[in-house]
Amino acid sequence: MSPLAARWSPAPAVVTAADDLLVGPVLKRWSDQHFAVAMSGGRISLAVDEDLVVAVEGRLDDAGGGPSASLGAADAVTAQWRRSGAAVLDELLGDFLIVVYDRATRRVTAGRDIVGARPGFVSTSRGEHLVFTHLAGVAEKRGFDLVPDHNWTASYLRGDWPDAILTPYHGVSALLPGHIAVPYGLGWEQSRVCEWQIEEPSKLSVEAASDGFRDRFDAAVLARIGDVDGPVAVATSGGLDSTSALVTARAIRPDADLVALAIPFTDPEGDERHLQVEAAAKAGARLHWVDISERGPFGSGPDEVFGRFGAPPLAPNWFFFSSIEQAALEAGVLQILDGEDADGVLSGNLGFLADLVARGQWITWTREALALRRVHDVRLEVLYRRSRVSLRRVGRAGGIGGPTARFATGRRGYVSSGGYLTRLMECTYDESTAVAGGMAHPFLDRRVVEYALALSWDHIVKGGKSKIVLRNAMRGRLPESIRNRSGKARLSAPFERMVTGSQRSWLDEGLALARRDRSGTFDAVDWTKYAESAKAGDTFPLFRVAMVALWHEWIAAAAPGGIQSR
């Protein structure tokens, strides 16, 4: 389902209805000779007056950190737009995409929140300028020529983060976080209107830092569940991040009907189940086990995957979220929370070492790398290489620049470049339309992100243990067995079992298509290396190859003359 879609044309009486860009029932719509907007789903708001048409998809928070009523979101944006224009994007808190149509000037502006926790796309097709929130809706409706983008495809096959603005289709661009887009010539022009407010790190005591983080995280959770009159769920893996969201939901809503949605992760390297049970008991939450045995990375078939995402999924574990959504519906849940993306914000990923490389802190880098080598069983030269790669990715995606760029370079780039968030949002976004309140991410609240990225290094990682400030903030809330843990079961184990077991036929079919391909798409594939990786237990490279080949076949079914890659 694509919750928001809009069309604009400079020529009168040319624009067609936006309904055909949606998948699902149209709940709100408006149009004139130049502009048409259609909306579906549960978090939409439309305001129309004599001057402006404002469409909002997502959630806005009021100035006090509480939730704004969904039906009033567009009215709130309208009032602020009159006062501040596009700068309103920097004044609003929440996860949102907005489209504003000025009826007097007949111009349209699209904007996306600075964190980018909600996707948005822009394109131009047959003289019309398009804005939409979900790629699959447009792909399924064939609203534009389906031409795979060569650069995106090459990045996907390599396993890299595609540049933030790239999408799977040529001529379709991502609306960048914190940017507005306006029609310009035969395309769209984007410009940044939001800047991160990250102060120079100050010297805080351990207690002050953890208190400050807890206050902001509490406000972020409250903003997402404060007005929910019904069951609230947290996707609970047993790890530090998701369980922190679970116990915080209980702390700020003692009366809430709280549900812990838990996939029973277990493999030879770890078993999360006893920790999931312990976390649910601590939070006084109903434990609902989520069965993923009937699902897999190829869905019920590749057509389901491409109908859901419009392209190969960057996150092969997308079916986790699909299963969680189904379990939430069965439990009558109105809002789901998760622990994404505490890894990026609080340096739970190995990429945080890029911060130290950027600042030339080699003594600290060596100390932390030695500790992490023991925790993750990774060689020092591998850690150094990952540090350099993280810096290159930040530079390629543009980062966020500005006077504070010398602080938290790697962490800020990880959050702001859009690379990881693209993976996260595509695999949670479609599911969020089925549950009334959707899938919400309190760790991606702007207040939490800016506070965390301003903290000095000793509050982030120490002695090979990451997320120090979160661990301290959760003292007294989380069981000590979870608060102090450093290891975790391999969450990729279900993917590996399915792609080499029950769904092996789809993998084999995709690889056979790729080997027969003569378009040049797979010329750079190192088949020997990928086969060796698969034997060692890493099937992701071969999965990506198979997915691209199956995707091309899916597109070709709608374009009998064949497809081209640009």
Side-chain angles (χ1 to χ4, degrees):
M1 184 181 293
S2 183
L4 184 154
R7 277 186 158 111
W8 176 86
S9 173
V14 171
V15 68
T16 56
D19 301 22
D20 70 328
L21 296 180
L22 297 180
V23 176
V26 177
L27 302 180
K28 299 178 186 293
R29 62 160 64 89
W30 188 91
S31 64
D32 68 5
Q33 289 185 313
H34 292 268
F35 178 75
V37 61
M39 308 180 77
S40 63
R43 294 164 317 289
I44 56 175
S45 181
L46 182 66
V48 180
D49 63 19
E50 66 278 6
D51 300 321
L52 299 174
V53 178
V54 176
V56 179
E57 200 281 313
R59 194 202 78 259
L60 298 181
D61 304 340
D62 64 29
S68 294
S70 175
L71 295 179
D75 293 320
V77 173
T78 300
Q80 291 183 255
W81 187 274
R82 284 201 173 89
R83 183 180 66 250
S84 306
V88 69
L89 216 64
D90 211 15
E91 300 171 3
L92 297 171
L93 284 174
D95 312 322
F96 57 85
L97 183 136
I98 63 174
V99 178
V100 179
Y101 174 58
D102 189 313
R103 300 175 67 178
T105 62
R106 296 173 178 169
R107 299 294 292 176
V108 66
T109 304
R112 188 178 173 198
D113 70 274
I114 190 171
V115 179
R118 192 164 298 277
F121 304 95
V122 293
S123 182
T124 301
S125 177
R126 301 177 179 88
E128 294 180 336
H129 298 264
L130 314 177
V131 183
F132 46 96
T133 51
H134 196 34
L135 189 62
V138 177
E140 183 167 329
K141 292 296 184 180
R142 310 299 189 240
F144 53 90
D145 295 330
L146 299 181
V147 180
D149 184 87
H150 172 75
N151 291 323
W152 185 94
T153 303
S155 294
Y156 179 82
L157 288 172
R158 290 194 304 268
D160 286 347
W161 299 348
D163 287 352
I165 201 168
L166 289 180
T167 74
Y169 293 105
H170 178 76
V172 180
S173 298
L175 176 52
L176 295 171
H179 283 64
I180 60 167
V182 297
Y184 181 77
L186 298 178
W188 290 82
E189 182 177 63
Q190 299 195 40
S191 57
R192 177 179 290 280
V193 295
C194 297
E195 294 292 345
W196 294 97
Q197 304 301 315
I198 302 174
E199 299 178 359
E200 185 168 336
S202 57
K203 195 68 176 177
L204 293 176
S205 67
V206 170
E207 182 178 3
S210 61
D211 286 348
F213 183 87
R214 184 170 52 249
D215 289 346
R216 288 162 177 80
F217 190 61
D218 286 356
V221 173
L222 178 63
R224 288 155 177 81
I225 68 171
D227 65 343
V228 178
D229 186 17
V232 172
V234 180
T236 307
S237 70
L240 176 66
D241 310 337
S242 60
T243 55
S244 293
L246 180 68
V247 296
T248 297
R250 174 58 71 207
I252 58 105
R253 284 286 308 273
D255 60 337
D257 181 2
L258 195 59
V259 182
L261 298 174
I263 297 174
F265 291 110
T266 178
D267 78 337
E269 295 182 20
D271 189 336
E272 299 295 302
R273 291 172 296 183
H274 70 287
L275 293 175
Q276 291 166 315
V277 170
E278 189 175 358
K282 181 72 174 180
R286 290 187 283 136
L287 182 60
H288 187 117
W289 293 110
V290 178
D291 181 15
I292 60 173
S293 62
E294 299 301 318
R295 305 191 64 82
F298 289 101
S300 59
D303 284 358
E304 179 193 349
V305 182
F306 305 134
R308 196 177 191 97
F309 302 118
L314 286 170
N317 64 344
W318 65 270
F319 62 98
F320 291 0
F321 298 93
S322 176
S323 301
I324 287 170
E325 174 215 19
Q326 183 59 43
L329 290 173
E330 293 170 358
V333 166
L334 300 181
Q335 177 72 69
I336 310 173
L337 301 181
D338 66 12
E340 302 288 355
D341 174 34
D343 281 350
V345 174
L346 293 170
S347 298
N349 57 85
L350 297 180
F352 76 82
L353 292 173
D355 295 349
L356 299 177
V357 173
R359 291 181 295 194
Q361 295 181 245
W362 293 107
I363 295 177
T364 305
W365 184 93
T366 302
R367 182 181 67 243
E368 298 301 330
L370 285 170
L372 282 170
R373 181 183 63 176
R374 294 190 295 271
V375 172
H376 294 283
D377 191 25
V378 178
R379 300 192 309 274
L380 282 181
E381 52 267 35
V382 173
L383 293 175
Y384 176 72
R385 186 166 63 250
R386 291 187 182 181
S387 303
R388 302 295 300 182
V389 168
S390 294
L391 283 180
R392 288 198 299 271
R393 285 172 174 164
V394 172
R396 188 169 64 236
I400 47 184
T404 59
R406 65 187 181 278
F407 299 112
T409 303
R411 286 186 287 132
R412 290 180 60 199
Y414 186 81
V415 171
S416 68
S417 67
Y420 180 78
L421 287 183
T422 300
R423 290 172 160 81
L424 168 66
M425 291 310 116
E426 68 157 11
C427 64
T428 62
Y429 190 69
D430 184 52
E431 288 76 7
S432 70
T433 60
V435 175
M439 182 86 76
H441 321 287
F443 280 105
L444 292 177
D445 186 278
R446 182 173 182 175
R447 293 159 292 193
V448 173
V449 172
E450 290 181 338
Y451 183 81
L453 297 187
L455 289 173
S456 57
W457 194 254
D458 55 327
H459 296 302
I460 299 301
V461 63
K462 202 168 190 178
K465 187 173 286 189
S466 62
K467 306 173 187 176
I468 298 300
V469 69
L470 176 61
R471 296 176 190 274
N472 291 332
M474 292 298 111
R475 192 185 303 275
R477 287 188 181 179
L478 272 179
E480 290 297 287
S481 57
I482 298 176
R483 194 179 71 85
N484 291 317
R485 71 179 306 197
S486 57
K488 198 173 184 179
R490 288 187 310 117
L491 303 190
S492 62
F495 165 86
E496 293 167 359
R497 286 196 298 267
M498 292 174 181
V499 83
T500 58
S502 60
Q503 297 203 321
R504 178 61 185 262
S505 61
W506 292 117
L507 178 70
D508 291 341
E509 179 176 335
L511 295 177
L513 288 170
R515 290 183 182 277
R516 293 196 301 267
D517 180 84
R518 295 296 178 265
S519 69
T521 301
F522 304 100
D523 287 355
V525 171
D526 189 333
W527 292 99
T528 301
K529 179 181 177 181
Y530 283 11
E532 290 174 351
S533 295
K535 288 180 180 178
D538 181 8
T539 54
F540 288 129
L542 288 179
F543 171 78
R544 292 192 296 266
V545 172
M547 266 296 178
V548 169
L550 293 166
W551 173 45
H552 282 194
E553 185 180 54
W554 180 75
I555 296 174
I563 61 172
Q564 295 178 339
S565 182
R566 299 181 188 173

